[in-house]
Amino acid sequence: MKKIAVIGGGASGMACAVQLLRAGREVVLLERGDRLGRKLSATGNGQGNVTNINCSAKHYFSDDPKKVGRILDRFGYSETVRFLEDMGGIFLPDARGRVYPVGRQASAVCDLFRAELEKLHADICLKTQVQRIAFDGEFDLMWAGGHMRADAVVLAAGGKAAPHFGTDGSAYALAQSFGHTITPLSPALTRLKSDPALVRGLKGIRVDAGLKVLHGDSICFECRGDVLFTEDGVSGDAVFRASSYAKKGDRLEIDFLPDVGKERLSEALKVSDGSLLCIVPNGLGRVLSKRANGGHGALLSLLKAFQLPILGDCGFANAQVTKGGIPLIETDENLQSLKRPGLFFAGEILNVDGECGGYNLQWAFSSAHAAAEGILQC
Ligand SMILES: Cc1cc2nc3c(=O)[nH]c(=O)nc-3n(C[C@H](O)[C@H](O)[C@H](O)COP(=O)(O)OP(=O)(O)OC[C@H]3O[C@@H](n4cnc5c(N)ncnc54)[C@H](O)[C@@H]3O)c2cc1C
């Protein structure tokens, strides 16, 4: 395949273009925004959590988890770190396995890609939103005021989450025009809404807590991490992880003291006569003490099993990723369309979403590698 068009200058589009250019292919990278990698620059709270050393298919949701596993096996955490370090920088894991550039700057990861693409003399078209793709033996990609022909296309145009980065979901129509279906879409890795009355007075308080998602009496998910109270619910990395499992009508149960057993806590409350000084942050202590109204049992329950009904998520605008997309079963092992050979997919546009912790960028890089390999084999 001589000329390749990559649609989308995000993490997966840039990674795919770099690999194809290194193999000597002619690549045109088309990006609707005015610069490359805008979302990548915002990842990991601006620090760029690019992958996770614990990466495996069990951290992903998809219609074909086994294919996700095979694609990760071909290009996983260590290949990603090598690929990034080949462009420059040093990438190291933190205590929870989340890998960051040691300079802790996501925008610098993006700069690495931009510099590499420049070094490889990439043909980059910014402010170019592909609106239609036709096929007449070759692909014809059309945008306002222009078009190009290509032998292969990589559709790496992202999902529907965080539309302010250029991903409003309009690119799904490009795949649908070739007969692809789109599984139901919903926001993932997002803040959760609860009853504002139950979080009143807690806004801005961040705790390292144990978190459970309860569906009726059964626990559908449990984890440990940051919980940050907001005006109308909760945020933080534990909540983002839980959001992949939580549905409206479920409950969150927060253990503010996951390292302290009930008995020890009960003893401490007797000694302090219910004071929570040096047990939880003062702001949290004041609110919980007031709610317990002097009852030790009530205070113990609030501290170890604080209950919040889930009233919903905060929409695509506040989500990090999209759940749903082009089903993997409509692609081959290299993510080539089974409906229109020569059309490949990479990244979040596919029906694959990962947990919080670097898994989504890892999918962007792994899927980009699969698509690039597929094109190089043609
Ligand atoms: C705030 C935030 C923080 C995040 N933090 C992390 C993290 O720490 N770790 C992690 O693993 N994941 C994180 N993610 C998720 C991760 O950023 C995405 O999963 C990843 O960027 C997806 O890569 P992509 O290339 O598929 O899509 P994107 O990065 O979204 O890129 C798609 C690109 O395609 C362009 N485009 C769309 N339509 C067209 C069109 N028709 N023509 C031309 N161009 C088009 C868009 O402008 C966009 O630039 C975060 C997401 C957000 C929003």
Side-chain angles (χ1 to χ4, degrees), residues 6-15 29-52 60 98-100 106 125 127-132 142-143 155-172 174 189 240 316-322 346-350 352-365 367:
V6 178
I7 304 174
S12 63
M14 291 194 291
L29 181 56
L30 305 149
E31 165 55 46
R32 72 185 276 190
D34 57 5
R35 64 201 159 89
L36 299 175
R38 281 182 299 163
K39 194 180 285 178
L40 175 59
S41 295
T43 55
N45 279 329
Q47 300 190 4
N49 174 199
V50 291
T51 179
N52 194 299
Y60 292 87
R98 300 175 297 186
V99 178
Y100 294 87
C125 303
K127 299 185 189 166
T128 306
Q129 180 176 0
V130 177
Q131 285 164 346
R132 207 161 83 78
M142 289 157 254
W143 55 88
L155 186 52
K160 214 178 157 180
H164 45 287
F165 294 117
T167 45
D168 55 8
S170 55
Y172 293 116
L174 299 173
L189 304 191
F240 284 167
F316 284 107
N318 295 294
Q320 290 197 351
V321 289
T322 314
E348 194 177 318
I349 197 163
L350 287 155
V352 180
D353 62 289
E355 292 176 355
C356 193
Y359 299 105
N360 287 294
L361 283 174
Q362 179 60 62
W363 172 249
F365 299 135
S367 56

